[in-house]
Amino acid sequence: MKIIETKNLTKKFTPSLCSKCWRTLQGLFRAPSLKLWSVSDKNKTFLDKGAGFTAVDNISFQVEEGEIFGFLGPNGAGKTTTISMLCTLLKPSSGEAYVNGYNVVSEEAKVRQSIGIIFQDPSLDERLTAWENLKFHSLIYGIRKELIGARAQEVLNLIGLSEWRNEIVRKFSGGMKRRLEIARGLLHYPKVLFLDEPTLGLDPQTRRHIWDYIHELREKKKITIFLTTHYLDEAENCDRIAVIDFGQIIALDTPQGLRKLLPEDAIFLKTVNDEKAKIEIEEKYKVTVNFNNGGIFFSIKNGEEFIPELLKNLSLTVKSVNLKRPTLDDIFLKLTGREIREEKIKKDDWFRGILRSHSRR
Amino acid sequence: MDAIWRRMNLEAIYILWLRDLTRYFRDWVRVILSLFRPTLWLLIFGTGVNNLFQMQKMNSGTDYLHFLFPGIITLNLIFASLYSGISIIWDREFGFLKEILVAPISRTSIALGRTLSGTTVSLIEGFFVFLLAPFIGVKLMASKFIPLAVIMFLIAFTGTALGVLIAVSIPSFEAFGIVANFVVMPMFFLSGAVFPVSSNLPGWLKYLVYLNPLTYGVDTLRSILVGVQVFPIWFNLLILSLFGWLVLFFAVLVFNKKR
Ligand SMILES: Nc1ncnc2c1ncn2[C@@H]1O[C@H](COP(=O)(O)OP(=O)(O)OP(=O)(O)O)[C@@H](O)[C@H]1O
Ligand SMILES: [Mg+2]
């Protein structure tokens, strides 16, 4: 049995009559200065979305039990929408999805019992204490009362927030909130844990900590992990990655497999004489060398191993050398032949962002 | 339709209720504001208008402050209950609603939990107004407690259900201001809280007042507290409870359909 399975899963957002009216009303009363935010985007929001917008387009994939499965894609690719459908928060427009063997539409209660989810946006009750948040969660998931104390303590120890248990969540830092959310998602021992950008807004140290923790979870509790991310280097922690754009899966492979698509690293070099260096490198290694603000660069396989060799063999003195591994942008360019989409600031998102930054404080 | 109601889960309703009340008692600003609002209305507005009417007593011979008192109880009830109802929008903005929606409980329980917690908070704030009774000379008797509690519960319940309906139908945040200005105030002014519902009102105003479910709540409260009434009590109770359940039913329906 596959723990997650989707067949031609599709989500098309069609605005209801009510929300259309509401949008128009909002448009009428919007403060003139705010229009600046959406000038370039206005046609899109009003025309495209008016006719419906396909956020997830016919995707099919399967996830094995115990796997760490990643969804990698730019903003607006449809990652959160897919997770929302798998978590029964949104109804698919067409297609099917099964989680832990249950249909996400017809057996939603059973699906919900089997999953834990850490949302992209904060979802703690900031007026309650950490302990109360955990207790609330345990109660609505029907954990037996005599077990709640021990379980809550167990997850608090795991994330290292035991001393904070009786503090109001509003006082927590963003990273602490994130950790608490992860703890909360684990309370009811889910079979599948969904993590929507688990490391969003975290410092590198906490980020690493969370990844260690995710790996540990998989080993200790044998749970399946489904996560989304923007970062290729982060996606490398997964067993398999689906690259998604415009609601479609454009590649699905292991991290090594994806790397093979882009075997070459870029090397940036500054020497005492770049002209000479260019000629020398082109001759020796049969690569095209280009000039780049105050230096030269070229692409080569296995960049890390190449650098020592280059330094040994080059007759000129090297001032600096820099290695750049492929990123999500490069993978995108390779797979789709175009640059990653620009992030657009929509008015609503912008407003939410303000709210969020307030609530994250 | 039947399935929607059968799927409510008592335990979940209780937990949601408990969370809302915990939050309420932590929010001291809200508690104090709910004491301040009736004070302002009764002591300033009430006393001022009372002065104006000193010579010509109100239609039934009560003085204006006594006439206004049930209206102010209703104001506090409706403010608190609508606010609690639409605070589902807050939960949505701050993300906590998703935590509730993804839990293995039905949306019907979520709507009912919020309606009951809102009703409770509203009743608490409604009873706060009685703290002012001694200052304006309204006499309270223990025997009136039960009928008062019943009618106040109905008003609070109706208001919260209306708030929940607004919250689940309107997708955005601005609803907060709209509700405060375009729902609470008109409902208050058109309920006979500040002026008597009599046949001398101009036609259009009279119909608006009759259409407002609050009118029947204010009328009942006034008959209990001051002994003045326009409609029969059974009629008032019937209209209010019918309206309350109807609104709640629609709220649950809309909430269940939204996905
Ligand atoms: N409720 C909605 N109504 C209409 N359109 C929506 C709705 N929710 C999402 N969308 C649109 O669907 C697309 C996919 O959104 P989604 O949130 O799934 O992206 P994402 O991959 O999670 O992006 P990000 O990395 O920014 O979180 C976006 O273009 C978004 O504008
Ligand atoms: Mg997302």
Side-chain angles (χ1 to χ4, degrees):
Chain A
M1 188 194 76
K2 302 280 185 275
I3 192 103
I4 303 176
E5 188 162 3
T6 73
K7 285 181 204 142
N8 303 327
L9 193 65
T10 300
K11 180 72 196 179
K12 186 169 178 179
F13 289 109
T14 35
S16 64
L17 191 65
C18 177
S19 74
K20 260 186 199 160
C21 297
W22 187 247
R23 219 180 257 268
T24 320
L25 258 178
Q26 269 185 325
L28 288 178
F29 290 114
R30 186 173 297 160
S33 62
L34 277 179
K35 280 203 174 121
L36 283 179
W37 288 97
S38 54
V39 170
S40 56
D41 213 26
K42 201 165 149 199
N43 294 336
K44 185 172 170 51
T45 22
F46 281 94
L47 296 179
D48 289 9
K49 301 237 161 140
F53 177 79
T54 309
V56 174
D57 192 0
N58 250 308
I59 65 174
S60 308
F61 61 89
Q62 298 174 334
V63 180
E64 304 282 344
E65 196 156 1
E67 195 175 14
I68 300 185
F69 187 88
F71 247 34
L72 175 71
N75 288 127
K79 304 182 295 292
T80 302
T81 310
T82 309
I83 288 203
S84 302
M85 285 191 284
L86 294 175
C87 294
T88 76
L89 281 177
L90 284 175
K91 236 187 204 113
S93 312
S94 65
E96 286 168 48
Y98 296 86
V99 175
N100 198 19
Y102 302 117
N103 186 301
V104 297
V105 178
S106 56
E107 296 166 298
E108 75 179 30
K110 283 179 179 155
V111 171
R112 289 174 182 194
Q113 261 320 335
S114 336
I115 60 171
I117 171 162
I118 286 89
F119 295 101
Q120 180 172 358
D121 302 330
S123 66
L124 293 164
D125 187 332
E126 308 222 334
R127 289 237 173 101
L128 300 183
T129 63
W131 189 257
E132 285 165 339
N133 266 291
L134 296 177
K135 202 170 147 195
F136 177 86
H137 185 91
S138 315
L139 288 170
I140 53 172
Y141 276 79
I143 298 176
R144 287 216 314 282
K145 292 214 170 54
E146 61 272 22
L147 294 177
I148 293 176
R151 286 229 198 151
Q153 195 55 54
E154 177 194 337
V155 292
L156 272 180
N157 289 341
L158 255 175
I159 55 158
L161 284 179
S162 304
E163 317 88 85
W164 290 81
R165 52 180 268 171
N166 291 324
E167 293 291 334
I168 299 280
V169 171
R170 207 193 320 218
K171 293 183 192 163
F172 285 24
S173 76
M176 287 158 72
K177 286 180 196 167
R178 204 72 188 145
R179 272 146 63 198
L180 183 59
E181 281 177 319
I182 295 179
R184 187 179 66 178
L186 291 168
L187 264 179
H188 56 284
Y189 294 166
K191 299 269 296 178
V192 187
L193 188 64
F194 290 94
L195 296 150
D196 200 352
E197 292 175 32
T199 55
L200 186 81
L202 298 181
D203 63 39
Q205 193 190 339
T206 315
R207 192 175 280 238
R208 203 163 328 119
H209 190 81
I210 286 189
W211 272 109
D212 289 345
Y213 182 54
I214 291 172
H215 285 295
E216 198 180 311
L217 264 180
R218 197 252 300 262
E219 261 141 51
K220 276 199 191 144
K221 304 221 189 263
K222 306 266 174 290
I223 67 182
T224 309
I225 291 163
F226 183 109
L227 58 92
T228 73
T229 178
H230 292 147
Y231 306 111
L232 191 58
D233 52 349
E234 216 170 84
E236 276 178 35
N237 286 294
C238 303
D239 297 319
R240 280 190 309 147
I241 305 168
V243 182
I244 172 168
D245 189 30
F246 286 114
Q248 288 174 325
I249 294 183
I250 53 178
L252 202 169
D253 211 334
T254 58
Q256 296 75 24
L258 282 183
R259 278 266 179 250
K260 280 202 197 97
L261 283 174
L262 283 174
E264 305 195 323
D265 300 324
I267 292 186
F268 293 84
L269 198 65
K270 280 183 188 162
T271 60
V272 285
N273 188 339
D274 287 341
E275 305 279 342
K276 265 194 189 158
K278 174 175 154 72
I279 296 163
E280 192 176 333
I281 292 170
E282 280 181 341
E283 243 168 46
K284 255 194 200 142
Y285 302 105
K286 308 280 175 262
V287 292
T288 326
V289 179
N290 296 304
F291 287 101
N292 173 275
N293 48 0
I296 53 175
F297 78 96
F298 55 94
S299 301
I300 195 101
K301 276 188 193 180
N302 285 332
E304 283 156 324
E305 288 154 35
F306 176 77
I307 289 177
E309 194 189 314
L310 175 74
L311 294 182
K312 209 162 63 196
N313 297 342
L314 201 64
S315 61
L316 297 149
T317 312
V318 174
K319 284 202 285 196
S320 80
V321 60
N322 225 320
L323 172 80
K324 191 172 160 274
R325 312 206 65 191
T327 63
L328 179 60
D329 296 79
D330 304 316
I331 293 258
F332 253 76
L333 200 58
K334 181 86 182 181
L335 286 170
T336 64
R338 62 185 158 67
E339 294 278 337
I340 210 160
R341 283 180 281 161
E342 265 185 12
E343 184 177 2
K344 296 192 186 91
I345 300 176
K346 277 169 251 144
K347 185 217 149 198
D348 288 357
D349 294 347
W350 168 77
F351 185 57
R352 288 239 163 83
I354 292 180
L355 269 180
R356 210 175 292 145
S357 63
H358 276 274
S359 62
R360 274 280 190 206
R361 269 208 303 244
Chain B
M1 216 128 293
D2 204 31
I4 290 176
W5 293 103
R6 254 190 281 118
R7 269 169 48 206
M8 63 187 195
N9 165 344
L10 286 180
E11 179 125 352
I13 294 176
Y14 167 69
I15 295 151
L16 292 163
W17 178 86
L18 193 64
R19 173 221 168 207
D20 289 342
L21 273 134
T22 313
R23 278 174 66 96
Y24 175 68
F25 284 114
R26 262 178 214 168
D27 193 354
W28 283 103
V29 177
R30 216 180 140 189
V31 177
I32 288 166
L33 208 66
S34 71
L35 282 166
F36 181 70
R37 192 183 310 116
T39 314
L40 196 75
W41 273 90
L42 273 176
L43 297 191
I44 301 178
F45 179 81
T47 313
V49 178
N50 202 18
N51 218 28
L52 183 71
F53 286 138
Q54 226 161 27
M55 298 299 120
Q56 40 173 148
K57 294 280 185 175
M58 298 304 290
N59 51 353
S60 56
T62 46
D63 97 9
Y64 185 71
L65 268 175
H66 288 199
F67 177 85
L68 185 64
F69 189 66
I72 300 309
I73 296 172
T74 314
L75 175 70
N76 240 24
L77 285 172
I78 198 77
F79 232 104
S81 55
L82 273 166
Y83 190 91
S84 298
I86 60 170
S87 62
I88 286 182
I89 298 178
W90 270 124
D91 276 347
R92 184 160 59 208
E93 286 311 311
F94 286 103
F96 194 72
L97 188 64
K98 272 189 287 187
E99 150 82 353
I100 304 176
L101 288 180
V102 82
I105 56 177
S106 70
R107 295 209 170 178
T108 309
S109 332
I110 299 172
L112 284 180
R114 176 51 55 93
T115 310
L116 290 183
S117 68
T119 307
T120 312
V121 167
S122 165
L123 271 178
I124 295 170
E125 298 200 349
F127 275 109
F128 279 163
V129 182
F130 286 101
L131 296 176
L132 296 171
F135 298 104
I136 58 166
V138 171
K139 282 189 227 39
L140 298 172
M141 278 171 287
S143 64
K144 286 181 181 169
F145 180 76
I146 304 272
L148 274 177
V150 170
I151 184 64
M152 283 168 67
F153 176 85
L154 274 181
I155 298 174
F157 176 78
T158 307
T160 319
L162 195 61
V164 173
L165 177 63
I166 294 172
V168 298
S169 327
I170 288 182
S172 106
F173 188 74
E174 288 87 335
F176 253 83
I178 292 186
V179 166
N181 293 304
F182 294 93
V183 182
V184 176
M185 280 338 229
M187 275 183 89
F188 170 64
F189 283 121
L190 291 172
S191 67
V194 284
F195 55 79
V197 182
S198 69
S199 38
N200 338 348
L201 290 178
W204 61 270
L205 187 57
K206 204 160 60 189
Y207 288 117
L208 282 178
V209 170
Y210 286 167
L211 275 178
N212 183 356
L214 264 195
T215 304
Y216 308 95
V218 173
D219 192 52
T220 315
L221 269 181
R222 193 167 283 142
S223 83
I224 297 171
L225 282 168
V226 204
V228 189
Q229 71 187 80
V230 182
F231 309 99
I233 300 254
W234 66 266
F235 179 75
N236 287 344
L237 295 183
L238 186 73
I239 297 261
L240 254 188
S241 18
L242 270 183
F243 187 82
W245 280 106
L246 196 72
V247 168
L248 183 61
F249 176 76
F250 275 114
V252 168
L253 211 65
V254 174
F255 199 30
N256 270 290
K257 267 188 82 178
K258 271 230 162 105
R259 278 237 271 150

